[in-house]
Amino acid sequence: MSNLGRNAKFISSNILGRKRAVVENIIDEREDDDYIEPIMKELETETTTDREQTLHDCMELFNSKDKKDATLNRDFLKMYLNLAFSSKLPPQLTPLDASQPWMLYWISNSLKALNPEWLTDDFKRSLAQKLFKLVESDNSCGGPFGGGVGQLPHMAGSFAAINSLVVCDNIDGCWDKVDRKAIYKWLMELKQPDGGFKTCLEVGETDTRGVYCALEVASLLNLMTVELTEGVVEYLVKCQTYEGGFGGCSHEDEAHGGYTFCAVASLAILDKLDEINMEKLMEWCSMRQYNEERGLCGRSNKLVDGCYSYWVGATAAILEAAGYGNCINKKYLREYILYCCQSEKEPGLRDKPGKHPDFYHTMYNLYGLAITESKFYTPSGNFAENVTSTPVDASLLPSAPSGICPMNPVYGLPTKDAKAFFNHFR
Ligand SMILES: CC(C)=CCC/C(C)=C/CC/C(C)=C/COP(=O)(O)OP(=O)(O)O
Ligand SMILES: [Zn+2]
């Protein structure tokens, strides 16, 4: 085990898809003055109890600090992200074995967004080398990409691999090593008769993640065709639920921030945002923000979490860029990220107080923070590619801007890098 393995207790392995049994207890109303009522006051569940704890932790952080002091600790983050390039990752990250391109994306994209020079040429070279080892095919060595060496090509892995290459500035001509023909053929094989895309041949599921990854990769690589996009808008429109957000599929699935982002970003790429119930969607996005914690949650009656600063925050940014107006309180979101998702004790950004930081929450909190410091619009031309942002007036921010570079919320990439990649393939 490396030194990092022994010492990096702060790196959390419990990142996605926490599963636990529901425990319900009927409770009496409380009469404590300082007590903030849980949303579901008649019913006590593990979630309402957890929310009480989160509320308490957030309140303490908001009250204990001088508001002007909440700035992003950039150097602490740099140290955290650099560790990934200089040491073996600790054993608690083993469950992410099938998410190797994702880790590369979260780390490289965070460094690039914080300061383009922090993603050094050496880092870019090792990234590109590693990424092309994730290709498993008899016919191609330039994609599609799997989640780890010897693993089946996967939509999510290919999305993360291509996005990681985007921030590598075509080092050693790595962009031209991508096999566009093989990727297009594979995308067409994953396309389903209902307009959706499977995430993986044979064993993959079909949902809005598959659609977004397919369209994101195809549009970056200039592979968009009528055949590829046929029926996709119809598929996505059916995924909008009665709540206003989007589920993963059209079968009465629950609206969720992650799946909503995938649907809305896909519609942005297709320039078809006008096909959905926009009023309900904006209302749903607004309802993801809690007054007390100030951050965003992913679905009704669930807890705030720093990663939704991007999944829901970027959804709101896309709608703002499309001219529908702003539907979240950016000032409040900024406060949640800066006060509640960073700590002086552990480097990296986290889901919420009490959780350990991880690379996933670091990147999505950083991108959320960028959203809170920007106004989005689209000057002209293809909508998704040209989404642009201007910094909000720094004098209106309660503390110094974080210095994160302008980003494109549709692609989850620095605007400049995405543009260079688009231009290269056109
Ligand atoms: C590009 C791509 C593949 C995007 C994926 C988007 C996506 C579906 C993100 C959501 C991931 C997530 C944190 C689920 C947690 O569910 P939970 O039940 O643990 O958390 P909750 O209580 O906040 O809902
Ligand atoms: Zn999260």
Side-chain angles (χ1 to χ4, degrees), residues 15-16 18 305-308 311 351 360-361:
I15 297 176
L16 298 174
R18 298 174 296 278
D305 177 338
C307 65
Y308 299 119
W311 300 123
D351 163 345
Y360 165 81
H361 286 96

Side-chain angles (χ1 to χ4, degrees), residues 266-277:
S266 300
L267 288 161
I269 292 171
L270 297 167
D271 210 351
K272 290 288 179 196
L273 282 167
D274 54 355
E275 301 269 331
I276 53 174
N277 187 334

Side-chain angles (χ1 to χ4, degrees), residues 15-20 102 155-156 159 208-210 212-213 254 256-262 297-299 302-305 307-308 311 352 360-361 364:
I15 297 176
L16 298 174
R18 298 174 296 278
K19 289 206 167 40
R20 54 197 175 191
W102 278 101
M155 277 290 195
F159 160 85
T208 61
R209 290 170 311 146
Y212 171 66
C213 292
E254 182 183 9
H256 189 280
Y259 295 106
T260 300
F261 168 79
C262 289
C297 69
R299 48 184 164 141
K302 295 299 300 271
L303 271 59
V304 280
D305 177 338
C307 65
Y308 299 119
W311 300 123
K352 58 173 69 59
Y360 165 81
H361 286 96
Y364 289 116

Side-chain angles (χ1 to χ4, degrees), residues 71-133:
T71 51
L72 187 70
N73 194 340
R74 293 170 53 89
D75 291 331
F76 208 24
L77 282 172
K78 183 185 179 193
M79 182 200 92
Y80 176 68
L81 296 161
N82 275 346
L83 266 179
F85 284 102
S86 54
S87 319
K88 280 192 169 176
L89 291 177
Q92 60 263 45
L93 292 189
T94 309
L96 289 179
D97 181 54
S99 302
Q100 294 181 36
W102 278 101
M103 274 199 280
L104 302 180
Y105 167 53
W106 300 326
I107 295 163
S108 58
N109 201 30
S110 297
L111 278 171
K112 192 81 186 270
L114 281 163
N115 182 341
E117 286 175 15
W118 289 358
L119 188 68
T120 64
D121 282 357
D122 281 351
F123 287 174
K124 289 177 202 163
R125 274 192 191 101
S126 36
L127 274 168
Q129 259 175 30
K130 166 81 188 174
L131 286 163
F132 287 107
K133 287 189 181 145

